[in-house]
Amino acid sequence: MRHRVAHRKLGRITPHRTALLRNLATALFERERIRTTLPKAKELRPYAERLITLAKREDDRLHARRLVLRDIQDPAVVKKLFDNLGARYATRPGGYTRILRLGPRKGDGAEMAIVELLGSEYKPKSGDEKGKKDKKEKATEAPKAKAEKKDAKAKGGKKEKAAEKAKAAE
């Protein structure tokens, strides 16, 4: 039985596992969505959520920033974490990430997943916006297409005349 055994080892020694989680967390905060294996995603979730909770602190922000800097080495990512993400989740009491299962990886069959921060979901354009954009694009593309056809005819006409002259000469 696994009593009082907390985390997965992920087939790595402790320093390698720590570096892996730090790199995954940095990539997650930088891009807000990453693709990785399911066990790594499940191990990353509590690690990243602890860092976001530190970024939400209002009382001792300098100390919290230094605690986060121990794990996230990139100052730009730490700035984004404290300025944007901490403010985004200020009223949320936890659960800042979502894990979406993707199925097995083609090469080795490892179960893949997407880890994303809530609020960074893909938002496709609504039907109204798509229709408006398509009409605008068609309106601007029509004169360009006509001009290109005229240019092609002019160039093609010269080639055709040259070909006719060559046939007549034969």
Side-chain angles (χ1 to χ4, degrees):
M1 286 195 234
R2 290 176 45 93
H3 293 300
R4 299 182 62 152
V5 179
H7 301 285
R8 297 166 184 83
K9 291 190 177 181
L10 301 174
R12 290 161 171 81
I13 61 174
T14 305
H16 189 184
R17 187 170 52 252
T18 305
L20 171 77
L21 288 173
R22 286 177 177 173
N23 290 334
L24 285 172
T26 302
L28 177 64
F29 297 143
E30 185 177 5
R31 299 184 188 111
E32 298 190 12
R33 171 186 282 201
I34 59 171
R35 183 171 176 254
T36 184
T37 62
L38 187 61
K40 288 177 190 174
K42 287 182 176 180
E43 200 59 30
L44 173 64
R45 172 184 260 174
Y47 188 84
E49 291 194 1
R50 182 181 61 86
L51 295 175
I52 293 172
T53 303
L54 283 171
K56 285 174 37 176
R57 269 197 195 170
E58 290 296 326
D59 55 342
D60 198 4
R61 287 183 65 87
L62 179 61
H63 182 58
R65 187 177 291 264
R66 287 177 176 165
L67 289 174
V68 170
L69 276 166
R70 287 194 301 193
D71 294 329
I72 307 296
Q73 301 292 318
D74 189 357
V77 174
V78 173
K79 181 173 175 46
K80 178 181 179 181
L81 180 62
F82 274 80
D83 295 345
N84 299 343
L85 301 178
R88 184 194 302 175
Y89 301 120
T91 58
R92 191 176 185 91
Y96 315 113
T97 59
R98 172 186 296 133
I99 297 176
L100 303 170
R101 293 172 184 241
L102 295 177
R105 183 163 50 195
K106 188 174 183 180
D108 60 356
E111 190 71 23
M112 297 300 289
I114 289 179
V115 183
E116 67 180 6
L117 297 175
L118 295 179
S120 65
E121 296 87 6
Y122 172 70
K123 297 177 184 173
K125 295 179 182 171
S126 66
D128 297 337
E129 292 177 11
K130 284 184 183 178
K132 291 177 184 175
K133 187 174 182 181
D134 290 341
K135 290 177 184 175
K136 288 180 183 176
E137 285 179 2
K138 288 178 182 175
T140 57
E141 289 176 3
K144 291 179 184 176
K146 288 179 183 176
E148 289 175 3
K149 287 181 182 177
K150 287 179 182 177
D151 292 339
K153 285 182 180 177
K155 290 179 183 176
K158 291 177 184 176
K159 290 180 183 177
E160 289 174 4
K161 289 179 183 175
E164 289 174 9
K165 287 181 182 178
K167 286 181 182 177
E170 291 177 356

